[in-house]
Amino acid sequence: MDIVNKEKRSEMMSGIRSQNTKPEILIRKGLFKSGYRYRINNSKIYGKPDIVLKKYNAAIFIHGCFWHGHIGCKNFKIPKSNTKFWIDKIDRNRKRDAEVLNFLHATGWRICIIWECAIRGKSQLKNIEKTIRKISRWLKSDRVWLEVLNNSPIMIHI
Ligand SMILES: [Zn+2]
Protein backbone atom coordinates (compact mmCIF):
# COMPACT_ATOMS: atom_id res chain seq x y z
CA MET A 1 0.00 0.00 0.00
CA ASP A 2 2.80 2.31 0.91
CA ILE A 3 4.52 1.83 -2.44
CA VAL A 4 1.32 2.53 -4.35
CA ASN A 5 0.79 5.66 -2.35
CA LYS A 6 4.32 6.80 -2.95
CA GLU A 7 3.99 6.20 -6.67
CA LYS A 8 0.71 7.97 -6.79
CA ARG A 9 2.12 10.87 -4.88
CA SER A 10 5.14 11.23 -7.14
CA GLU A 11 2.85 10.88 -10.16
CA MET A 12 0.79 13.73 -8.79
CA MET A 13 3.86 15.81 -8.07
CA SER A 14 5.29 15.25 -11.54
CA GLY A 15 1.93 16.15 -12.99
CA ILE A 16 2.15 19.41 -11.15
CA ARG A 17 5.71 20.26 -12.01
CA SER A 18 6.27 18.69 -15.39
CA GLN A 19 5.56 20.52 -18.58
CA ASN A 20 4.52 17.25 -20.14
CA THR A 21 1.32 16.45 -18.31
CA LYS A 22 -0.60 13.70 -19.99
CA PRO A 23 -3.56 15.63 -21.41
CA GLU A 24 -1.09 18.02 -22.97
CA ILE A 25 0.72 15.21 -24.75
CA LEU A 26 -2.56 13.79 -26.01
CA ILE A 27 -3.64 17.16 -27.35
CA ARG A 28 -0.30 17.64 -29.06
CA LYS A 29 -0.41 14.21 -30.66
CA GLY A 30 -3.98 14.78 -31.80
CA LEU A 31 -3.12 18.11 -33.38
CA PHE A 32 -0.08 16.62 -35.09
CA LYS A 33 -2.15 13.76 -36.48
CA SER A 34 -4.60 16.31 -37.85
CA GLY A 35 -1.77 17.97 -39.74
CA TYR A 36 -1.08 20.92 -37.45
CA ARG A 37 2.46 21.95 -36.73
CA TYR A 38 3.34 23.88 -33.61
CA ARG A 39 5.94 24.80 -31.04
CA ILE A 40 5.70 23.73 -27.45
CA ASN A 41 6.60 25.69 -24.32
CA ASN A 42 7.98 28.54 -26.36
CA SER A 43 9.68 30.68 -23.74
CA LYS A 44 10.01 33.58 -26.18
CA ILE A 45 6.29 34.12 -25.88
CA TYR A 46 5.01 35.69 -22.70
CA GLY A 47 3.50 33.14 -20.34
CA LYS A 48 5.14 30.29 -22.27
CA PRO A 49 2.01 28.82 -23.84
CA ASP A 50 1.84 25.03 -23.89
CA ILE A 51 1.26 24.96 -27.65
CA VAL A 52 1.80 27.76 -30.16
CA LEU A 53 0.56 27.65 -33.75
CA LYS A 54 2.21 30.65 -35.31
CA LYS A 55 0.49 30.25 -38.63
CA TYR A 56 -2.84 30.72 -36.86
CA ASN A 57 -1.55 33.28 -34.41
CA ALA A 58 -2.83 30.94 -31.73
CA ALA A 59 -1.65 30.13 -28.24
CA ILE A 60 -3.08 27.11 -26.44
CA PHE A 61 -2.95 26.50 -22.71
CA ILE A 62 -3.93 23.24 -21.07
CA HIS A 63 -4.97 24.05 -17.52
CA GLY A 64 -5.21 21.68 -14.61
CA CYS A 65 -8.52 22.47 -12.90
CA PHE A 66 -7.08 22.49 -9.40
CA TRP A 67 -3.88 24.49 -9.94
CA HIS A 68 -5.49 27.06 -12.15
CA GLY A 69 -8.59 27.32 -9.98
CA HIS A 70 -11.34 26.29 -12.36
CA ILE A 71 -14.30 27.92 -10.62
CA GLY A 72 -17.48 25.87 -10.63
CA CYS A 73 -15.60 22.72 -11.66
CA LYS A 74 -15.96 19.55 -9.61
CA ASN A 75 -12.21 19.04 -9.88
CA PHE A 76 -11.52 22.28 -8.10
CA LYS A 77 -11.97 21.91 -4.38
CA ILE A 78 -9.82 23.68 -1.83
CA PRO A 79 -8.38 21.10 0.60
CA LYS A 80 -9.83 21.13 4.11
CA SER A 81 -6.40 21.41 5.70
CA ASN A 82 -4.05 24.34 5.09
CA THR A 83 -7.03 26.05 3.54
CA LYS A 84 -5.58 29.54 3.61
CA PHE A 85 -2.33 28.39 2.03
CA TRP A 86 -4.20 26.80 -0.86
CA ILE A 87 -6.57 29.70 -1.35
CA ASP A 88 -3.61 32.11 -1.54
CA LYS A 89 -1.66 29.85 -3.83
CA ILE A 90 -4.50 29.22 -6.29
CA ASP A 91 -5.37 32.90 -6.16
CA ARG A 92 -1.84 33.79 -7.21
CA ASN A 93 -2.01 31.28 -10.06
CA ARG A 94 -5.31 32.74 -11.25
CA LYS A 95 -3.93 36.28 -11.15
CA ARG A 96 -0.87 35.19 -13.10
CA ASP A 97 -3.08 33.46 -15.69
CA ALA A 98 -5.24 36.55 -16.07
CA GLU A 99 -2.14 38.71 -16.53
CA VAL A 100 -0.74 36.37 -19.18
CA LEU A 101 -4.02 36.12 -21.08
CA ASN A 102 -4.57 39.88 -21.01
CA PHE A 103 -1.07 40.50 -22.29
CA LEU A 104 -1.32 37.95 -25.09
CA HIS A 105 -4.72 39.24 -26.09
CA ALA A 106 -3.47 42.82 -26.10
CA THR A 107 -0.56 41.84 -28.32
CA GLY A 108 -2.75 40.18 -30.90
CA TRP A 109 -2.72 36.51 -30.00
CA ARG A 110 -5.73 34.27 -30.25
CA ILE A 111 -6.08 32.22 -27.12
CA CYS A 112 -7.43 28.77 -26.34
CA ILE A 113 -7.81 27.44 -22.81
CA ILE A 114 -8.40 23.74 -22.45
CA TRP A 115 -9.40 22.73 -18.96
CA GLU A 116 -8.38 19.23 -18.02
CA CYS A 117 -11.96 18.37 -17.05
CA ALA A 118 -12.72 18.48 -20.78
CA ILE A 119 -10.36 15.58 -21.28
CA ARG A 120 -10.04 13.50 -18.17
CA GLY A 121 -12.57 10.86 -17.29
CA LYS A 122 -13.73 7.49 -18.56
CA SER A 123 -13.73 8.28 -22.26
CA GLN A 124 -10.47 10.16 -22.43
CA LEU A 125 -9.71 9.29 -26.04
CA LYS A 126 -13.15 10.37 -27.22
CA ASN A 127 -12.78 13.57 -25.24
CA ILE A 128 -9.44 14.22 -26.89
CA GLU A 129 -10.94 13.67 -30.33
CA LYS A 130 -13.79 16.06 -29.56
CA THR A 131 -11.38 18.64 -28.19
CA ILE A 132 -9.15 18.39 -31.27
CA ARG A 133 -12.20 18.95 -33.49
CA LYS A 134 -13.14 22.01 -31.45
CA ILE A 135 -9.61 23.40 -31.65
CA SER A 136 -9.50 22.72 -35.37
CA ARG A 137 -12.80 24.55 -36.00
CA TRP A 138 -11.57 27.43 -33.86
CA LEU A 139 -8.20 27.67 -35.63
CA LYS A 140 -9.95 27.95 -38.99
CA SER A 141 -12.44 30.50 -37.68
CA ASP A 142 -11.92 34.17 -36.95
CA ARG A 143 -12.71 33.80 -33.27
CA VAL A 144 -10.24 35.19 -30.78
CA TRP A 145 -11.06 32.99 -27.79
CA LEU A 146 -11.86 29.35 -27.24
CA GLU A 147 -12.42 27.77 -23.88
CA VAL A 148 -13.02 24.05 -23.69
CA LEU A 149 -14.33 22.59 -20.47
CA ASN A 150 -16.17 19.43 -19.54
CA ASN A 151 -17.20 18.85 -23.16
CA SER A 152 -19.04 22.10 -23.62
CA PRO A 153 -17.22 24.84 -25.48
CA ILE A 154 -17.79 28.49 -24.79
CA MET A 155 -16.77 30.75 -27.61
CA ILE A 156 -16.48 34.41 -26.93
CA HIS A 157 -16.20 36.59 -29.97
CA ILE A 158 -14.41 39.86 -29.28
ZN1 LIG B 1 -12.46 21.94 -14.76
Side-chain angles (χ1 to χ4, degrees):
M1 275 311 272
D2 228 31
I3 292 161
V4 172
N5 284 339
K6 259 185 204 163
E7 273 175 4
K8 264 206 170 162
R9 204 178 310 135
S10 75
E11 191 186 291
M12 279 172 69
M13 292 306 284
S14 69
I16 293 155
R17 297 264 148 69
S18 155
Q19 293 175 342
N20 298 326
T21 54
K22 218 180 166 203
E24 192 183 322
I25 291 170
L26 294 171
I27 291 288
R28 271 192 226 157
K29 280 187 178 166
L31 284 173
F32 193 86
K33 232 170 72 182
S34 302
Y36 293 103
R37 296 298 176 262
Y38 46 80
R39 281 197 63 173
I40 54 163
N41 306 125
N42 188 347
S43 54
K44 283 181 192 148
I45 296 164
Y46 188 66
K48 208 163 77 170
D50 295 315
I51 299 168
V52 170
L53 297 101
K54 239 186 163 180
K55 185 179 163 188
Y56 296 90
N57 212 28
I60 299 175
F61 293 87
I62 293 106
H63 277 181
C65 297
F66 178 73
W67 292 98
H68 294 268
H70 191 196
I71 287 174
C73 176
K74 64 176 167 45
N75 299 324
F76 172 49
K77 276 182 195 128
I78 295 288
K80 292 221 162 61
S81 57
N82 290 324
T83 303
K84 185 168 162 26
F85 167 82
W86 288 113
I87 288 174
D88 289 348
K89 178 151 189 64
I90 304 294
D91 199 46
R92 277 198 302 277
N93 292 349
R94 287 176 52 85
K95 278 184 183 140
R96 167 78 182 155
D97 287 341
E99 188 198 333
V100 165
L101 299 187
N102 285 336
F103 180 87
L104 290 179
H105 178 238
T107 49
W109 286 92
R110 303 165 67 207
I111 298 152
C112 169
I113 305 287
I114 299 161
W115 293 96
E116 279 192 11
C117 57
I119 293 159
R120 287 193 187 278
K122 280 181 206 152
S123 42
Q124 201 179 51
L125 284 180
K126 262 191 188 165
N127 292 344
I128 287 286
E129 280 169 20
K130 271 188 201 168
T131 303
I132 297 295
R133 279 200 297 274
K134 282 169 189 168
I135 297 171
S136 183
R137 277 201 298 272
W138 171 71
L139 286 171
K140 289 167 183 162
S141 77
D142 59 356
R143 290 183 190 93
V144 174
W145 294 95
L146 172 67
E147 190 176 17
V148 186
L149 56 146
N150 211 5
N151 293 324
S152 48
I154 297 170
M155 288 184 175
I156 308 158
H157 199 144
I158 293 185

